[in-house]
Amino acid sequence: MKLYPKYKTLSWDYIFFYTINFLFLTQVKGINPADVVLIDSFYYLFAVFCQIPATFIIEFLGKKNSIILGNILSCLYMVMIIFSTNLFNLIIAEILSSLSFAIKESAEPSLLSESIPPYSQKDRIFAKISSKGLSMYYIINAFSTIAAGILYEINPYVPIILSLSTLILVTIMSLFFIEPIERRKVARTETFKQFKDLSEAFKFIFKSERIKGLLLFSSIMMGLFSILTNYEVSMLEDLNIPAKYLGIVFAFLGIVSAISAKKQETFHNKFTNRSLSVLGGISSIGCIIVGIFGIIAEIYPLCIFFIIFFYIIRHFIKGLFYPLIEKYLGNFTNEEIDTKIYTADSFFKSISCAVFGVLASFLLDRLETSICMIIVGITFSIIIVLVSSFMKKRVGLKPNEYPKEDVKYDNLITK
């Protein structure tokens, strides 16, 4: 519990990498911008197939050793990026990265959850620890993004090497975790039982209306966020913003996400069971507005400031969303089911990001980024309205309002 926030600060995603990675691949490696978006889709496509192996790796190695393995794979990914010479090399790199995050996204929150003693405030403690690490990540990432933009103009390889160095440090940090649940030695030979347990867990997940609603919404939001990660950089690049200024802009946006991550409990208390719908609606509508201003900015450059304003709103929402969805998915769970739920979440998010990523790549290859933004915003606005309607009577209820099947893994209720 003490180590986790520090670890998450450096491990939640690649530091010194994003924003300049788009420029690195397009300018240094000569990859078409649409292909860069397509490469991201390959990542999510591979992540779909990595979820089941990731679950067995976690069951076989335990959470601590699995996290260590995931970090080693991330190091290998960054080495592949540095030495890649063609699109095929980058696709192999994405396979390594997808397996790394498939393992980590399931094992890390599960390790934290199982490290917290079971009592009525467990969900708040989980959210507080997780959001603290996430908030610090955004701050560190903000400063590293500024440095990466400046260093990129000196030598494009320097930020990538710094990112690799950070991953090596993260791998060392993960050696100091303590396994929260002692594994039985015989578990290594219980392959059939693992299949049976996994099957039972997924039966529960698909029967639970609450979990289905949360997984569906999480997948949609992650699909939108993954598209905007590249579209936002592409739009500013279309408007001829230099790399060093891109670094400053996205560093500031990282600080915005850091501030908002600490406000997740306040936001939840204000909007309660409407929290996710509010976040989704603002994100999709903001995307449409950014696209409109992107068109106008070609004639009136001052509109760039309005684009950045809506980027600020989007990143504020991103900072709120991640700790909230982890918290909601972890409610009413124990060590028997939590890893499987986070695995299912990663599985469906990967499918969503792969599908929407291919469509986003198709659009960007044919249209200007601003037009693509408008199309994406309209599409996701419709989807979020439909998903929010599905969730209305299924998510955000009081414990006694859920069917017994939905809360059967809750230690407090079942004791």
Side-chain angles (χ1 to χ4, degrees), residues 278-349:
V278 171
L279 295 178
I282 296 174
S283 297
S284 58
I285 293 171
C287 187
I288 298 171
I289 296 172
V290 165
I292 294 170
F293 278 117
I295 296 171
I296 300 172
E298 295 177 4
I299 304 171
Y300 303 103
L302 286 176
C303 288
I304 292 173
F305 291 104
F306 291 103
I307 292 172
I308 293 173
F309 173 75
F310 281 98
Y311 280 12
I312 291 171
I313 295 174
R314 207 279 288 186
H315 283 260
F316 190 88
I317 288 170
K318 184 176 79 170
L320 289 169
F321 178 76
Y322 287 121
L324 278 176
I325 196 66
E326 277 191 356
K327 171 184 173 180
Y328 295 158
L329 287 169
N331 285 343
F332 313 123
T333 66
N334 61 18
E335 68 277 2
E336 292 181 47
I337 195 67
D338 54 4
T339 302
K340 280 82 172 182
I341 290 176
Y342 290 120
T343 298
D345 181 47
S346 296
F347 179 81
F348 290 112
K349 284 193 299 189

Side-chain angles (χ1 to χ4, degrees), residues 125-290:
I125 293 174
F126 177 94
K128 184 177 180 180
I129 294 173
S130 181
S131 62
K132 181 181 179 181
L134 184 57
S135 177
M136 288 303 297
Y137 160 81
Y138 284 129
I139 293 172
I140 295 293
N141 190 54
F143 289 106
S144 69
T145 301
I146 294 175
I150 296 170
L151 293 170
Y152 179 86
E153 295 198 343
I154 298 172
N155 186 322
Y157 284 89
V158 172
I160 311 295
I161 293 171
L162 288 174
S163 185
L164 174 60
S165 301
T166 305
L167 289 170
I168 293 171
L169 175 60
V170 163
T171 305
I172 295 170
M173 290 178 69
S174 62
L175 295 172
F176 293 93
F177 279 127
I178 297 172
E179 186 69 35
I181 303 295
E182 186 177 350
R183 293 181 299 114
R184 294 180 298 114
K185 292 182 180 180
V186 293
R188 298 183 178 218
T189 61
E190 292 183 344
T191 305
F192 177 76
K193 185 177 184 300
Q194 288 181 15
F195 271 109
K196 184 178 179 181
D197 290 345
L198 189 63
S199 174
E200 289 296 320
F202 274 88
K203 283 180 183 178
F204 161 75
I205 290 168
F206 288 118
K207 284 181 181 178
S208 171
E209 296 294 314
R210 185 186 75 87
I211 295 295
K212 281 193 291 187
L214 288 171
L215 292 178
L216 185 58
F217 196 90
S218 176
S219 301
I220 297 303
M221 287 294 284
M222 193 60 192
L224 177 59
F225 287 169
S226 67
I227 291 172
L228 294 181
T229 296
N230 286 316
Y231 271 20
E232 287 176 348
V233 179
S234 180
M235 174 168 284
L236 294 183
E237 191 178 33
D238 288 349
L239 297 171
N240 300 313
I241 306 298
K244 59 183 178 181
Y245 295 124
L246 283 179
I248 294 171
V249 168
F250 284 95
F252 176 72
L253 295 175
I255 294 173
V256 169
S257 295
I259 295 170
S260 67
K262 293 182 177 180
K263 303 292 183 182
Q264 51 84 23
E265 189 67 28
T266 302
F267 185 86
H268 167 76
N269 291 337
K270 183 174 182 179
F271 292 98
T272 59
N273 61 351
R274 295 182 293 114
S275 297
L276 296 179
S277 298
V278 171
L279 295 178
I282 296 174
S283 297
S284 58
I285 293 171
C287 187
I288 298 171
I289 296 172
V290 165

Side-chain angles (χ1 to χ4, degrees), residues 38-83:
L38 189 61
I39 288 170
D40 280 353
S41 298
F42 274 108
Y43 164 83
Y44 292 113
L45 179 63
F46 295 135
V48 172
F49 297 103
C50 287
Q51 296 307 319
I52 301 302
T55 301
F56 285 105
I57 288 171
I58 295 168
E59 292 289 333
F60 183 77
L61 296 179
K63 294 172 178 61
K64 173 187 172 178
N65 292 334
S66 297
I67 291 170
I68 294 169
L69 174 62
N71 287 319
I72 292 172
L73 292 173
S74 289
C75 292
L76 293 176
Y77 163 75
M78 205 58 65
V79 171
M80 288 288 293
I81 292 292
I82 293 171
F83 292 104

Side-chain angles (χ1 to χ4, degrees), residues 100-138:
S100 167
F101 279 96
I103 294 170
K104 292 172 62 178
E105 287 175 0
S106 296
E108 289 173 352
S110 180
L111 179 141
L112 174 60
S113 179
E114 291 169 17
S115 299
I116 303 170
Y119 77 110
S120 60
Q121 299 296 312
K122 179 178 177 178
D123 61 335
R124 292 190 179 184
I125 293 174
F126 177 94
K128 184 177 180 180
I129 294 173
S130 181
S131 62
K132 181 181 179 181
L134 184 57
S135 177
M136 288 303 297
Y137 160 81
Y138 284 129

